[in-house]
Structure formats: structure tokens, C-alpha cells
Amino acid sequence: MLKEKITVSSWNEWDPLKHVIVGRADGCCIPAPEPALDAKVPEDSDMRGQYGPRMQDTVDKANQLLDDFSNLLQKKGIKVDRPTPINFNQKIATPDWEVESMFGCMPARDIILTVGNEMLEATMSYRCRWFEYLNYRPLLQHYYNSDPNMKHESAPKPRLTDSDYRKDYLSDKIGIQKRLEWTEKKFFVTTEEEPLFDAADILRFGKDLVVQHGFTTNLKGIDWIKRHYKNHRVHAVNFPGDPYPIHIDATFTPIKPGLIINNPQRRLPKDQRKLFEQNDWKIIDAAQPAHNSPPELCYSSVWLSMNVLVLDPKTVCVEKSEVYQAEQLDKLGMEVVPVDLRDAYAFGGGLHCCTADVYREGKLEDYFPKQ
Ligand code: DAV
């Protein structure tokens, strides 16, 4: 039998998508309490104080939607691969800590960062997500065996001892005002003990990588990324206005060369706009979400409305109920593909979160020649 031809390559968020990983909802758990997670779960969330496997009917529904999304992508000629779920409902431990359960393997984007021909497993910053890369190992091994140019990398596994987390965040009664003050001052739950980053804090713009400094990625993590991607320029950004800053992809979303939509409650500070402005990139406010609150037992905010998946510079997948976001992108000249995914949000995010690039056509380009 001929070996399947696979090419791993993706340099940005918008070039024509040809091969992608789509996550699964199987066995997903609400993780047990731990420092980083407690800081992120909203104070009024229905998830506080409970953990363990999610209800099977919600898993089945989410899987149906993820399968439908995969089929839709395949019909458009995009190859789709799926992770192999491990048993998340078990106690895990390292010599430094133990937790009662893991999380799941729906948001592939959080773990796997594809830059060019390299797929990198992020350090992650929650203990419950420490082993999450294992769900993707069968695929990454397959790519490694099939594409002689593919580079499989893993960032240094963090210790995640208590010294990685600020105790100030341990209370569940901090209040939004205080949280906003803290995040504006870049006083986040993670300390600078060791490099930490989630892959979903990184956006790829050809030669430039834009990385969110927040709860899940610290400055040492950003420095590690800088040293690792020596031929790239790495830019740290932060978004005051977000009381729970994790992952950049419900905050700052490039749509095509020259155009970014930005969460109007989490605007990029003036002093960080220079890179985009002097290279004639437009940053516009994203449309309002269609919902006032997230679905039940969901970690993410209503701003998953802007967690869109760009298929090519003229085509974008938008969650079906997010009519305002769809309308905005339509007016901007994009062909909008509606995708029903809201009932899968609770499993780890939206259309961008639940995917990870394997191959996008196109090559490494410099979108920001003026630095
Ligand atoms: O707005 O809750 C969600 C990002 C998920 N990857 C938010 C961020």
C-alpha cells in the first residue's frame, strides 16, 4: 500500500485550510479544583464546587455537532483527523502534585501549535491538562512518520507546584472590579516561576507571532517562545477589560491580511497598536454576541461569538446562532458558513478552539515589514 502523503505546514490563521484536527467530546470531565482553574471559573458559575464526568446526553450532543462540523469541512475538500481520547475520569499525579481528574480533548487549539512544518505541544498551565497532549500523540506520530519534514516538538513540561500560582487568586470572592484592576496591571494568577503557555494564546501572522500575556501564558512562556522561534518576531499583548484572560481567540481574531476583529470589551491598548497601524492593518470592534450568557457548565464567555474558523481569506465558519457576527463578516465581504456548535461550547470552546491546523496552503510571509 502506498503511504499516505501528508504535509504539515501552516504559517497563519487565514491561508486556505486543507487539513485540520477537530476535537472530540468523549469522556470530558469538569475538572476538580486546583489553583489555576479556580481563578478562571467565573465566581457565579454553575460549575463551582462540582467535578467529574459530564452528562452522557450532553457528550453525545456535542459529539454529534463536532462530527457534523467535520463532515462539513470534508465536503469542502478539507482532510479532517480526530484525536484519540484517553480516560479523563482518573486521578493523575506527578512527583509534585495530584488532581482527581483530567479535562478532555475537545479544544485541540489549546494544546497544539503549528508553525510552518512544526507541531509543538504547549506546556499548558492547569494540572488537569498536563497529560492532554497524549490524546494527540497518535496523530502527531502519524504525521511524523508520514511527512519526513515534519518536526514534532514538546515544550518543557512545567512542574506546576503551588509556586506557579498567586495565592491572591485562591478566593472565589474577589469580585469583578478587583479582577479588572489586577488584570489591567498584568497581575495574573500565574507567577514567573517557570515558562508557561497554552497554544491558544498564540496567533500566527507569518513572520510575526502575537502572544497574549494572561492567566495561561506568563512572560517566561513568551520568552521561551521567542527563543524557540528564532526566525520569528514575537510580540506580547494583553487585553485590559477581561477579568479572566485566557486564550486570545475570543478577543483578537485575524480574518485576512490587513483585518482583525477585536473584542470591544477587551481592546488592544494604544501603545500595542503600533505594529498593526504602521503596516496598515485595520483593527475593528467585533460585533456583539447574540447571547447574554454562555451555555450551562461552560468556562468560556459569550465572546465565543468571535471564535471563528477562517477557511481561506474569503470564507469563514461562524457559529450558527451568532447572527450579528455573521452579519458583520458578511458585510466585510466574507462568505459566511454557519456551523451549529453552541451545544459543544461547554466542552472547551468554539470553532477556532476545537480545531488545530495541520496544513494550510501558502508560505511564510512578512505581513509587518515596518517594525
Ligand atoms: O472569552 O472566555 C475563551 C477562549 C477559549 N479558548 C473567553 C475566552
Side-chain angles (χ1 to χ4, degrees), residues 40 107 110 200 242 244 246-251 263 266 299-304 307 348-350 353:
K40 159 65 186 163
D110 295 2
D242 187 355
Y244 306 98
I246 76 155
H247 304 165
I248 197 167
D249 54 358
T251 297
N263 187 320
R266 312 171 184 168
Y299 299 90
S300 306
S301 74
V302 291
W303 291 99
L304 286 182
N307 191 263
C353 302

Side-chain angles (χ1 to χ4, degrees), residues 36-325:
L37 189 77
D38 295 354
K40 159 65 186 163
V41 178
E43 293 182 12
D44 54 0
S45 168
D46 45 3
M47 268 183 304
R48 284 209 173 254
Q50 60 166 311
Y51 67 90
R54 289 173 181 268
M55 300 294 284
Q56 191 56 43
D57 59 331
T58 65
V59 172
D60 293 342
K61 174 75 205 212
N63 265 338
Q64 186 60 53
L65 297 178
L66 290 161
D67 290 350
D68 292 348
F69 180 37
S70 302
N71 289 334
L72 178 148
L73 294 172
Q74 278 166 337
K75 284 210 187 85
K76 292 188 173 292
I78 298 165
K79 184 173 160 55
V80 176
D81 288 328
R82 314 296 298 277
T84 307
I86 58 175
N87 174 16
F88 305 113
N89 188 26
Q90 58 176 311
K91 188 181 213 159
I92 54 166
T94 71
D96 294 311
W97 49 260
E98 56 181 49
V99 288
E100 291 300 320
S101 91
M102 287 178 267
F103 168 55
C105 65
M106 186 271 205
R109 188 77 59 180
D110 295 2
I111 320 293
I112 305 293
L113 178 65
T114 309
V115 175
N117 62 347
E118 179 188 294
M119 296 178 96
L120 171 76
E121 296 161 5
T123 69
M124 307 312 285
S125 51
Y126 294 7
R127 293 171 184 164
C128 62
R129 307 193 74 176
W130 207 87
F131 286 110
E132 207 164 304
Y133 68 96
L134 291 176
N135 300 283
Y136 302 95
R137 274 289 167 93
L139 287 177
L140 267 61
Q141 275 175 345
H142 175 54
Y143 303 151
Y144 188 82
N145 292 336
S146 311
D147 174 0
N149 292 314
M150 185 264 192
K151 283 169 63 186
H152 179 179
E153 291 277 352
S154 176
K157 293 306 283 176
R159 296 290 290 266
L160 300 186
T161 63
D162 287 349
S163 51
D164 273 307
Y165 308 106
R166 291 209 163 91
K167 291 187 182 54
D168 313 71
Y169 272 97
L170 283 180
S171 158
D172 58 1
K173 298 207 171 48
I174 299 165
I176 293 294
Q177 212 39 50
K178 180 116 245 150
R179 282 175 182 273
L180 287 171
E181 278 166 34
W182 283 353
T183 56
E184 168 134 33
K185 283 193 279 193
K186 300 191 230 179
F187 180 75
F188 302 120
V189 63
T190 37
T191 65
E192 293 296 337
E193 176 69 15
E194 58 182 340
L196 296 176
F197 65 95
D198 282 11
D201 278 316
I202 299 152
L203 290 173
R204 303 155 305 145
F205 294 79
K207 282 188 83 67
D208 294 86
L209 301 173
V210 173
V211 188
Q212 172 175 240
H213 178 205
F215 278 7
T216 39
T217 294
N218 63 10
L219 292 174
K220 281 220 168 86
I222 297 174
D223 185 55
W224 189 91
I225 292 164
K226 259 187 199 158
R227 296 194 209 185
H228 183 72
Y229 295 109
K230 282 210 222 45
N231 298 323
H232 282 76
R233 296 171 298 228
V234 176
H235 311 272
V237 292
N238 70 292
F239 299 93
D242 187 355
Y244 306 98
I246 76 155
H247 304 165
I248 197 167
D249 54 358
T251 297
F252 201 66
T253 305
I255 301 297
K256 58 182 173 184
L259 181 64
I260 296 166
I261 56 172
N262 185 188
N263 187 320
Q265 287 179 4
R266 312 171 184 168
R267 291 204 180 100
L268 185 67
K270 265 213 158 57
D271 58 311
Q272 296 173 32
R273 291 178 172 251
K274 228 175 91 198
L275 175 74
F276 303 98
E277 284 168 356
Q278 62 189 10
N279 289 286
D280 299 321
W281 278 63
K282 265 204 277 186
I283 301 176
I284 62 170
D285 280 353
Q288 286 297 311
H291 304 272
N292 295 324
S293 56
E296 262 179 45
L297 300 176
C298 179
Y299 299 90
S300 306
S301 74
V302 291
W303 291 99
L304 286 182
S305 54
M306 52 182 296
N307 191 263
V308 300
L309 181 71
V310 176
L311 299 187
D312 64 57
K314 290 197 163 82
T315 318
V316 59
C317 294
V318 180
E319 208 287 325
K320 197 178 86 178
S321 67
E322 295 297 345
V323 287
Y324 306 121
Q325 191 54 78

